[in-house]
Amino acid sequence: MLSCSVSTTDRITGPAPESHGAPLPQQASAGGSAKTARPVSLPSLTGLRWTAALMVFLFHVCIVEYFGGRTGGMLGYAFGVGNTGVSFFFILSGFVLAWSTPPGSRGVVRFWRRRLARVYPLHLATALIALAMAYFLAAGTIPERRQLLANLFLVQSWVHDGSFYQSANPVSWSLACEAFFYFLFPLIIRPLRATGWRGSVAIGAVSLALVVAMPTLVDRFAEPMHADWAIYYFPLARVPEFLLGIVLAELVRENRWRGPGLTVAFGLTMFGYFMASQADFPYRYAACTVVGFASLIAAAAVADLRDEPSPWRGRISVKLGEISFAFYMVHILVIRTGEHLYRSHPKDPWPTGLLVAGAAFTISLSAAWLLHTYVENPGRRLLLRNRSGGARAAR
């Protein structure tokens, strides 16, 4: 069975932020094509966001070892590769950006402004909370000035020193990858669309091959002591997943997706997740799950366009998906505070472990709702306020 005897600073992970928030606009015809001008939403993707965020939370519950004995071993087997959820969110991020950017749209600065408004209010708020915890509770390490600046400017993941990419709020390392994706997107989307759907298929195939081959490439070219960073945290290494998401959105938009339906895609996802739990560590991060995740995202989008049944379209799932970015940003801070106030790696019997994990979940969810309501949404409106003082709605 998987061992989860790792501290919270050894592997902090989380979903990428762009895959959270408001319903995603897209175009669909009455027959299910995505090529006419009537905007629709994709609630199943919002519900899937919550599922992936919960998977990441359970992964962190595993590595802090709330549960001991056989229960801890079973949880390690079930959720020890929950950090594959990061790959899901990077793919979904590419899908979301392409899906919500109509063909022919312009305005690079406006695009970057909207992406900043999407992520920065929560990033700044949780970084300040993390600093307050480090100063006043000794829960976490106080970053040096250059580490803090790298975190605040979302460039910390470009440095292979763990004190950088895990500084302040550790899960914000993935925002540094997202910031790079945001920079790239308006520069590549028009050339990519100019290749047509056949070009998209070719780009998607290359991206998929790169994700699968990345562990081998890193093993060959990266220094052994930096291999973990190079395959997991380094923004350039995660670009193929992002590109794959863009390609999926373009194929669905053009009604060219010919992949499996929702049931088969979910089966592929579970198979890939199981394979990841058996694979060597470099292959656990994305290589085993990328086919299933890509299929599931596209199949869920098509199911919504065609109004086919979907288990992720329920009102509660969608509402939880809307606050899942805030949940991601705050949950490790709650867990870290619990470690400080309770004890680190308690390995409790299952009733006590369940009580502690349940408390961490409840507090994280409550804090996420507060942050979503009073920081994320107001902050986005403030940053998108136009010169005349009115507020623009964020995509």
Side-chain angles (χ1 to χ4, degrees), residues 306-328:
R306 297 175 178 172
D307 199 26
E308 295 173 347
S310 168
W312 293 284
R313 202 182 295 148
R315 183 169 59 90
I316 294 177
S317 293
V318 171
K319 185 61 180 177
L320 289 171
E322 290 171 357
I323 67 171
S324 55
F325 178 36
F327 181 81
Y328 147 60

Side-chain angles (χ1 to χ4, degrees), residues 57-358:
F57 171 82
L58 292 171
F59 169 76
H60 285 143
V61 166
C62 168
I63 67 172
V64 299
E65 296 182 310
Y66 286 150
F67 298 86
R70 181 175 297 179
T71 303
M74 292 174 61
L75 286 174
Y77 188 81
F79 303 114
V81 291
N83 56 346
T84 56
V86 175
S87 179
F88 179 91
F89 282 103
F90 285 161
I91 298 169
L92 186 57
S93 181
F95 191 103
V96 167
L97 292 181
W99 185 262
S100 58
T101 303
S105 62
R106 299 175 182 269
V108 173
V109 174
R110 182 171 178 265
F111 171 85
W112 285 335
R113 183 186 179 196
R114 287 184 177 275
R115 296 316 94 186
L116 178 71
R118 169 67 68 193
V119 303
Y120 210 78
L122 276 179
H123 171 55
L124 181 59
T126 53
L128 292 174
I129 294 171
L131 289 175
M133 289 169 49
Y135 273 103
F136 300 112
L137 292 177
T141 303
I142 299 174
E144 298 177 1
R145 179 180 298 180
R146 58 180 185 154
Q147 295 165 352
L148 179 59
L149 288 175
N151 183 281
L152 292 178
F153 284 95
L154 293 176
V155 294
Q156 69 271 35
S157 290
W158 292 91
V159 183
H160 55 67
D161 185 344
S163 65
F164 275 83
Y165 57 75
Q166 298 273 283
S167 61
N169 185 6
V171 296
S172 63
W173 72 266
S174 65
L175 300 194
C177 296
E178 285 290 326
F180 183 58
F181 299 162
Y182 298 162
F183 171 77
L184 287 178
F185 180 80
L187 307 178
I188 64 175
I189 185 61
R190 294 185 69 191
L192 186 148
R193 284 173 171 167
T195 67
W197 71 267
R198 290 182 177 86
S200 293
V201 170
I203 293 169
V206 172
S207 299
L208 182 64
L210 284 173
V211 175
V212 175
M214 193 64 67
T216 302
L217 295 174
V218 168
D219 181 63
R220 182 173 181 178
F221 296 108
E223 297 180 18
M225 64 181 299
H226 299 149
D228 189 57
W229 162 80
I231 194 173
Y232 190 69
Y233 296 100
F234 187 38
L236 277 177
R238 310 313 296 253
V239 168
E241 293 152 271
F242 177 70
L243 284 175
L244 182 59
I246 295 175
V247 166
L248 292 172
E250 293 304 296
L251 293 177
V252 172
R253 184 194 299 276
E254 297 297 323
N255 199 24
R256 294 288 183 175
W257 172 249
R258 297 296 183 267
L262 203 53
T263 301
V264 175
F266 180 71
L268 287 173
T269 299
M270 296 305 297
F271 176 76
Y273 186 84
F274 171 77
M275 292 301 295
S277 70
Q278 310 301 310
D280 293 336
F281 274 99
Y283 293 89
R284 294 183 180 188
Y285 301 141
C288 292
T289 54
V290 61
V291 172
F293 286 162
S295 299
L296 186 62
I297 289 168
V302 170
D304 282 349
L305 290 173
R306 297 175 178 172
D307 199 26
E308 295 173 347
S310 168
W312 293 284
R313 202 182 295 148
R315 183 169 59 90
I316 294 177
S317 293
V318 171
K319 185 61 180 177
L320 289 171
E322 290 171 357
I323 67 171
S324 55
F325 178 36
F327 181 81
Y328 147 60
M329 292 296 289
V330 77
H331 82 275
I332 199 63
L333 302 180
V334 173
I335 290 175
R336 175 178 284 179
T337 302
E339 283 193 292
H340 176 74
L341 297 178
Y342 183 51
R343 64 179 184 270
S344 180
H345 300 280
K347 298 184 181 180
D348 288 324
W350 75 263
T352 306
L354 185 61
L355 181 64
V356 176

